[in-house]
Amino acid sequence: MANIFDVAKRAGVSIKTVSRVMNDQSAVRAATRERVLKAMKELDYNPSHAARELRSGRSRSIGMLFGDPSSGFQSRFHHAALQACDEVGYFLAAGLFDERADDWDKQLSAFLARTRVKNMILVPPLCGSTVLHDQLIERGVSFVLISPTQPVDGAPSISMDDFTAAKEITSHLLELGHRRIGHISGDAEHIATKRRREGYEAALAGVSGAEIDESLIQPGGFSFDEALDVAEAMLSRPDRPTAIFASNDEMAAAVYFVANRLDLRVPEDVSVVGFDDIPLARTIWPPLTTVAQPYEAMTHEAVRKLTRSDATSGPDDVTLGYELKIRQSTAPAPKR
């Protein structure tokens, strides 16, 4: 493997000059810098970022904490953040974190000590933890919130339009002739749950023959297991809904599971839609109609805000678009 001495010899410069180029110091002529960079590329020389960070006291890492990395929602953000960090020459430091544990503050301290991160991206549900926000601020750690429940002074936020997306996907069911549409909502403490329900209700309110039936709106906590009981109750009713809008894809999968157990076909007997567009939405059968969250755009924007401090970084709060993915889990309402 090539080392700094090989680079210096190939470029015809001193080791100190190579070091200056690697540390982006200005006291290097453009032609010399170009020669050094060319030599590094030809020799496939990759300097130790970790060593440079220790010498300079600067961190080129961005941290993320996950309460449940196995969930499709959080894993999509994890993958998108890896890509976004790699594109700007940063590393992603990811850690498990249980805010409900008695030693959560020790978990945080240990993570920050190990990774030396000074910038973090917080995704739901941890983005809503005011205690965590206070601890990060106290430690001088900058952070960006993804889909936060409430704003935090000095912390940029990046969200998508949950209300409009929920209204559009409910309208899709209404256009297919469905009038009894169940809704399995998410975690009651998260703003996305509220806005998705509001979008669902707004769509129903504007259509003749459709009504908001409170008994068809039940909490599933964004959990497959919790949604199983809710789906069982909805689909076992004599006046069961002809369609169900689950507030995330994992709960929609629970509806599939229960429907199959009750010998109901998706979508012939009950249409099902979800939210998030995690990989599961494309691998279950039939493929799930859902709302695709802009994971990549959200994380790229978060990384950009954390790695740039000039005026071009844009407004603190950004709302991004979404895409409705119509697949085979929806069909015209069955005639009864």
Side-chain angles (χ1 to χ4, degrees):
M1 294 178 63
N3 56 41
I4 192 171
F5 299 97
D6 298 322
V7 174
K9 183 177 180 180
R10 174 70 66 95
V13 298
S14 68
I15 295 172
K16 182 178 288 188
T17 298
V18 176
S19 178
R20 286 172 177 165
V21 171
M22 289 192 301
N23 287 285
D24 296 325
Q25 295 181 11
S26 58
V28 181
R29 288 185 298 176
T32 302
R33 183 184 300 277
E34 190 65 29
R35 208 159 65 244
V36 171
L37 292 174
K38 181 181 178 183
M40 290 171 64
K41 183 176 181 180
E42 290 173 348
L43 294 170
D44 193 25
Y45 175 61
N46 297 304
S48 171
H49 290 287
R52 279 194 288 159
E53 287 179 12
L54 287 172
R55 290 195 301 269
S56 66
R58 295 179 300 170
S59 172
R60 292 186 66 84
S61 298
I62 292 176
M64 290 186 80
L65 297 173
F66 296 100
D68 181 14
S70 65
S71 79
F73 177 80
Q74 292 192 15
S75 66
R76 283 295 303 271
F77 273 118
H78 188 188
H79 183 260
L82 284 169
Q83 292 179 314
C85 287
D86 184 65
E87 289 178 8
V88 295
Y90 273 63
F91 297 97
L92 181 70
L96 285 170
F97 186 77
D98 183 1
E99 187 196 3
R100 293 167 294 185
D102 293 337
D103 67 341
W104 72 267
D105 54 336
K106 292 182 181 178
Q107 294 178 55
L108 179 62
S109 296
F111 175 79
L112 296 177
R114 286 196 309 270
T115 62
R116 297 168 54 86
V117 298
K118 290 297 182 182
N119 299 288
M120 293 192 67
I121 300 171
L122 300 183
V123 300
L126 294 177
C127 66
S129 171
T130 56
V131 179
L132 178 58
H133 302 158
D134 292 342
Q135 289 291 333
L136 292 176
I137 292 170
E138 185 178 322
R139 288 171 165 81
V141 177
S142 300
F143 53 92
V144 172
L145 305 171
I146 301 288
S147 299
T149 299
Q150 58 189 8
V152 177
D153 287 342
S157 69
I158 302 165
S159 306
M160 64 158 286
D161 191 345
D162 289 277
F163 172 86
T164 304
K167 184 177 180 181
E168 184 174 341
I169 201 165
T170 305
S171 295
H172 167 65
L173 294 172
L174 291 165
E175 289 165 2
L176 290 171
H178 296 277
R179 293 298 179 265
R180 284 186 62 75
I181 302 173
H183 179 51
I184 304 179
S185 61
D187 185 338
E189 296 183 357
H190 202 274
I191 191 64
T193 297
K194 179 175 181 290
R195 289 181 177 158
R196 290 172 195 178
R197 173 172 173 168
E198 289 172 344
Y200 156 83
E201 292 179 344
L204 291 177
V207 175
S208 175
E211 61 180 47
I212 299 171
D213 183 344
E214 293 291 338
S215 69
L216 292 180
I217 304 173
Q218 298 296 328
F222 289 133
S223 162
F224 177 89
D225 291 335
E226 287 186 44
L228 285 174
D229 292 337
V230 176
E232 181 87 33
M234 283 191 185
L235 294 178
S236 298
R237 296 170 54 143
D239 59 344
R240 68 173 183 266
T242 62
I244 294 178
F245 166 28
S247 203
N248 76 352
D249 294 342
E250 291 181 30
M251 296 193 298
V255 178
Y256 275 50
F257 186 94
V258 172
N260 182 64
R261 190 166 63 199
L262 297 176
D263 291 325
L264 297 174
R265 298 165 300 166
V266 177
E268 291 85 356
D269 299 314
V270 58
S271 288
V272 184
V273 300
F275 208 105
D276 289 340
D277 196 30
I278 63 175
L280 174 69
R282 298 183 295 279
T283 56
I284 58 175
W285 183 261
L288 179 67
T289 293
T290 188
V291 172
Q293 292 229 44
Y295 299 100
E296 289 77 15
M298 283 180 158
T299 51
H300 275 76
E301 182 67 16
V303 168
R304 189 173 71 86
K305 286 184 176 297
L306 289 170
T307 57
R308 297 181 65 178
S309 58
D310 56 26
T312 62
S313 62
D316 282 346
D317 301 317
V318 176
T319 300
L320 299 175
Y322 61 88
E323 187 177 355
L324 183 62
K325 299 285 189 177
I326 298 177
R327 300 191 178 107
Q328 286 82 27
S329 68
T330 54
K335 295 180 180 180
R336 293 180 178 174

